[in-house]
């Protein structure tokens, strides 16, 4: 992967990361007619897959675009494909859109592999708050019109109220709870996305709050702050599920442990999906969301357009559609996917505001405004691999 990044950065084109500015939206939609657009996205989210297949694809077809979902086990599979295509100088690559954020976005941005400067031209962009930091920065990297916002997320802990009588209210208390209840807690092994954010949340806790951790990566700050983090997690390890001898490989594995009653907590960056998991009986009816006094990490995810796409107009049409008030309200319905909207609802026409107001309340998940109270900012993308590798060496003992 590192080699691919270096080669791609060396071979990256200087001008293909921008979109011609002399075309109006009508010309773009006309050029999009009949184009096939491949959307590469994590395939392990059944609700997300169903939303795209049953709603977004038919809506794109109505606009004259053939949208195809390409499921991947890891977003890095799509990233590596784009980097390979950038290195080869392709202008008709296999990837037209990627559901992406964080270090994956930063990796291709470094290689100048995204088309940029197109998002503000999307009709639906008029409903975005231009000052919303979750939408203008992606893990500390300026978005610069290189990816269209798709939905917001809030890192959330989840527990079974029938088995956790006195739930903790801070991250430190949660770690203490795990030590007091051996075998009933664990977390996915980084670099799993959810396992990584758990590590960052723990870093904030042992450092005295997110204010004490510089958002931009600094080696001196890492050297100063990470030992306490890894010491805390190493001390926690014997109290974890299977005494920390093994960790769930990903969130799906942790969810299965929770569903089977082997652990009392799970965690997620997409809490809105909990509604359907409880309704289907996958998770126990006693499932509740744990809100922490100090808040948790929040971010947004995006649809990014590679510079190597040969269907860029169709990809723009799909990105605009995905960001439209109609699709955002549909996607926010907890019975559909339940993802939090990126739109500023005060900017919407009244009928679209009403559509959001009429969405059913979840019996499991509090409103986004409550979940995101005291939200912690994401660290820059450079922190993620450093912490993941540090965890592997210090906690797992890998060399």
């Amino acid at each position: 992967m590192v080699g691919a990044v270096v080669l791609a950065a060396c071979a990256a084109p200087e001008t293909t990361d921008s979109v011609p500015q002399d075309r109006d939206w009508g010309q773009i939609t006309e050029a999009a007619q009949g184009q096939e657009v491949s959307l590469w996205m994590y395939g392990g989210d059944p609700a997300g897959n169903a939303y795209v297949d049953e709603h977004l694809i038919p809506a794109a077809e109505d606009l004259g675009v053939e949208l195809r979902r390409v499921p991947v086990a890891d977003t890095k599979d799509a990233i590596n494909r784009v980097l390979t295509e950038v290195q080869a100088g392709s202008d008709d690559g296999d990837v037209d859109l990627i559901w992406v954020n964080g270090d994956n976005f930063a990796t291709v941005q470094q290689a100048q592999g995204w088309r940029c400067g197109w998002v503000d031209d999307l009709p639906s962009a008029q409903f975005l708050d231009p000052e919303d930091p979750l939408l203008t920065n992606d893990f500390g990297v300026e978005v610069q019109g290189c990816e269209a916002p798709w939905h917001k997320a809030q890192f959330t802990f989840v527990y079974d109220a029938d088995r956790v009588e006195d739930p903790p209210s801070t991250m430190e208390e949660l770690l203490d709870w795990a030590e007091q209840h051996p075998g009933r807690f664990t977390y996915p092994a980084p670099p799993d996305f959810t396992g990584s954010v758990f590590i960052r949340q723990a870093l904030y806790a042992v450092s005295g709050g997110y204010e004490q951790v510089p958002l931009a990566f600094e080696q001196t700050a890492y050297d100063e702050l990470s030992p306490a983090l890894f010491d805390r997690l190493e001390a926690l390890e014997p109290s974890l599920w299977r005494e920390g001898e093994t960790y769930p490989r990903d969130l799906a594995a942790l969810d299965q442990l929770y569903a089977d009653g082997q652990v009392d907590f799970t965690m997620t960056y997409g809490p809105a999906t909990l509604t359907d998991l409880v309704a289907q009986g996958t998770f126990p009816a006693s499932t509740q969301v744990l809100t922490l006094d100090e808040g948790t990490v929040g971010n947004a995810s995006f649809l990014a357009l590679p510079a190597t796409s040969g269907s860029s107009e169709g990809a723009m049409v799909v990105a605009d559609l995905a960001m439209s008030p109609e699709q955002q309200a549909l996607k926010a319905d907890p019975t559909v996917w339940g993802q939090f909207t990126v739109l500023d609802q005060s900017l919407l026409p009244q009928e679209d505001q009403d559509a959001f107001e009429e969405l059913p309340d979840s019996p499991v998940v509090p409103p986004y405004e409550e979940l995101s109270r005291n939200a912690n900012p994401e660290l820059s993308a450079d922190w993620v691999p450093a912490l993941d590798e540090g965890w592997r060496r210090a906690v797992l003992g890998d060399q």
Side-chain angles (χ1 to χ4, degrees):
M1 176 65 186
V2 173
V5 173
V6 172
L7 288 173
C10 293
E14 295 182 358
T15 59
T16 57
D17 64 338
S18 62
V19 173
Q21 301 298 309
D22 56 352
R23 293 186 298 174
D24 61 27
W25 186 246
Q27 291 172 310
I28 291 173
T29 57
E30 182 178 356
Q33 298 302 300
Q35 287 188 349
E36 179 179 310
V37 173
S38 61
L39 167 58
W40 292 52
M41 59 182 284
Y42 173 60
D45 185 336
N49 295 341
Y51 161 72
V52 171
D53 293 345
E54 298 171 13
H55 300 286
L56 193 61
I57 288 177
E61 184 177 1
D62 290 342
L63 298 177
V65 177
E66 182 182 347
L67 178 61
R68 179 171 59 93
R69 178 175 62 85
V70 180
V72 292
D74 191 313
T75 303
K76 285 182 171 55
D77 296 340
I79 298 302
N80 286 332
R81 177 67 66 90
V82 170
L83 293 175
T84 300
E85 292 175 348
V86 169
Q87 181 187 349
S90 173
D91 59 4
D92 190 19
D94 292 332
V95 186
D96 300 308
L97 285 173
I98 307 178
W99 178 23
V100 70
N101 72 356
D103 60 327
N104 288 317
F105 172 71
T107 295
V108 179
Q109 184 79 319
Q110 180 183 2
Q112 296 181 293
W114 300 123
R115 291 193 184 274
C116 298
W118 55 276
V119 176
D120 287 346
D121 294 331
L122 304 181
S124 297
Q126 64 184 301
F127 305 123
L128 300 174
D129 177 1
E131 304 300 322
D132 188 338
L134 290 186
L135 308 185
T136 58
N137 285 273
D138 187 347
F139 282 63
V141 178
E142 289 189 26
V143 171
Q144 298 181 321
C146 304
E147 52 181 359
W150 201 18
H151 50 254
K152 292 183 177 180
Q154 194 68 38
F155 182 51
T156 304
F157 290 101
V158 182
Y159 69 101
D160 186 340
D162 282 353
R163 299 199 296 259
V164 182
E165 296 181 356
D166 187 18
S169 58
T170 68
M171 185 67 180
E172 284 284 9
E173 289 181 5
L174 176 59
L175 299 178
D176 291 342
W177 184 95
E179 290 180 325
Q180 295 161 9
H181 300 81
R184 304 304 301 173
F185 183 88
T186 191
Y187 57 91
D192 171 77
F193 187 75
T194 305
S196 289
V197 72
F198 173 82
I199 299 300
R200 299 194 295 278
Q201 195 71 63
L203 174 65
Y204 284 161
V206 301
S207 301
Y210 72 83
E211 301 90 347
Q212 308 305 315
V213 184
L215 298 185
F217 180 78
E218 300 173 6
Q219 187 64 50
T220 55
Y222 176 87
D223 293 341
E224 177 184 349
L225 298 172
S226 64
L229 167 68
F230 298 137
D231 286 349
R232 184 71 182 90
L233 295 179
E234 189 175 13
L236 177 70
E237 191 171 56
S239 301
L240 298 177
W241 173 74
R242 291 189 175 176
E243 298 181 339
E245 292 296 325
T246 184
Y247 289 79
R249 66 182 179 277
D250 53 25
L251 177 58
L254 175 59
D255 281 348
Q256 190 62 56
L257 292 178
Y258 176 75
D260 292 343
Q262 295 191 54
V263 296
D264 298 334
F265 283 83
T266 185
M267 57 195 74
T268 179
Y269 233 138
T273 59
L274 297 170
T275 304
D276 199 41
L277 289 170
V278 172
Q280 293 177 348
T282 303
F283 282 0
S286 48
T287 294
Q288 292 190 18
V289 164
L290 181 74
T291 54
L292 300 184
D293 293 345
E294 70 267 37
T296 56
V297 173
N299 70 23
S301 60
F302 301 80
L303 296 178
L305 170 54
T308 53
S309 167
S311 301
S312 59
E313 296 90 354
M316 293 178 206
V317 168
V318 171
D320 179 68
L321 172 67
M323 203 166 60
S324 68
E326 296 80 7
Q327 288 294 321
Q328 287 281 302
L330 179 63
K331 184 157 60 79
D333 188 329
T335 66
V336 177
W337 193 1
Q339 295 290 357
F340 303 124
T341 184
V342 294
L343 303 180
D344 183 339
Q345 295 180 42
S346 68
L347 300 177
L348 298 178
Q350 189 59 52
E351 61 180 330
D352 292 318
Q353 293 186 36
D354 293 343
F356 280 97
E357 288 292 332
E358 292 167 3
L359 290 173
D361 292 331
S362 169
V364 181
V365 184
Y368 176 73
E369 292 73 19
E370 181 177 340
L371 279 176
S372 61
R373 188 174 298 134
N374 299 325
N376 302 174
E378 274 287 9
L379 293 172
S380 71
D382 290 340
W383 273 100
V384 177
L387 289 171
D388 289 351
E389 177 64 14
W391 179 88
R392 187 181 69 81
R393 290 179 177 275
V395 179
L396 286 189
D398 292 350
Q399 299 300 321

